[in-house]
Amino acid sequence: MIIALSVLAYAALTGDAHSARPGAPFLLIAVAQLIGACGEEIGWRCFLQPLLRTRLGPLAASVTVGVAWGVWHVQVFARHPVYAGAFITAAVSMSVVMGWALEGVRASRLLLAGGFHALINLGMLLFMDEESGAVLPMVLFGASCLAAAGLWTWRSVGRQRSAGSSAPAKIPLVMDDVR
């Protein structure tokens, strides 16, 4: 959904939607992307997020991990400031999506998070021109990620409210809010 929304917005704004042909065999790129994504996600979604989740609510843990994850990609700060801001927005937003998606999941966290991460990377490689440093594709990608995170948060908070009390919903930011 994130990549499709980004590509559709890019096509609507520029009139130019196309796919890029990778410079290496696609299977090799896909395997490399999955291995690299899983390598990152061991730290982010399999270690740090569950660790922070013991102290913070799902949203605060996800945002914290997302900020660290975005800053981890320090090379984006050598790009245009708007590009870097959109990248950080995308990283935090995708972290929120994965945080909600993995809430309560104990098994297969690495495969789920790594698969999502790899698919995003492949979608960006094949359909967006963000590797060149172009600002518009990254801004549209960041906005699409933010929309997905907003929808998932709205849905998750609503689900928690209907499963819990009839009190007004609030987003659990710390463990005390979850209890």
Side-chain angles (χ1 to χ4, degrees), residues 2 5-6 89-91 93-94 97 120 140-150:
I2 290 170
L5 185 57
S6 300
T89 299
S93 298
M94 286 186 293
V97 167
I120 289 291
L140 296 174
F141 177 66
S144 297
C145 291
L146 187 59

Side-chain angles (χ1 to χ4, degrees), residues 42-125:
I42 287 170
W44 303 128
R45 251 48 73 186
C46 295
F47 174 72
L48 186 56
Q49 188 130 1
L51 179 68
L52 290 175
R53 184 62 181 89
T54 64
R55 299 258 182 204
L56 304 172
L59 185 62
S62 298
V63 168
T64 303
V65 171
V67 169
W69 185 31
V71 172
W72 167 267
H73 294 86
V74 69
Q75 72 276 11
V76 303
F77 297 107
R79 308 272 175 129
H80 191 280
V82 174
Y83 181 101
F87 182 89
I88 297 296
T89 299
V92 171
S93 298
M94 286 186 293
S95 185
V96 168
V97 167
M98 285 193 277
W100 287 120
L102 296 173
E103 183 70 14
V105 172
R106 300 293 169 243
S108 303
R109 286 180 75 86
L110 179 59
L111 187 57
L112 292 169
F116 175 81
H117 187 153
L119 287 173
I120 289 291
N121 288 351
L122 288 170
M124 294 294 287
L125 175 70

Side-chain angles (χ1 to χ4, degrees), residues 125-163:
L125 175 70
L126 294 174
F127 300 108
M128 301 298 283
D129 184 28
E130 47 68 53
E131 286 292 320
S132 71
V135 173
L136 180 61
M138 186 53 70
V139 167
L140 296 174
F141 177 66
S144 297
C145 291
L146 187 59
L151 286 171
W152 204 305
T153 299
W154 176 71
R155 181 176 175 256
S156 296
V157 170
R159 192 175 338 125
Q160 287 180 344
R161 182 178 38 164
S162 66

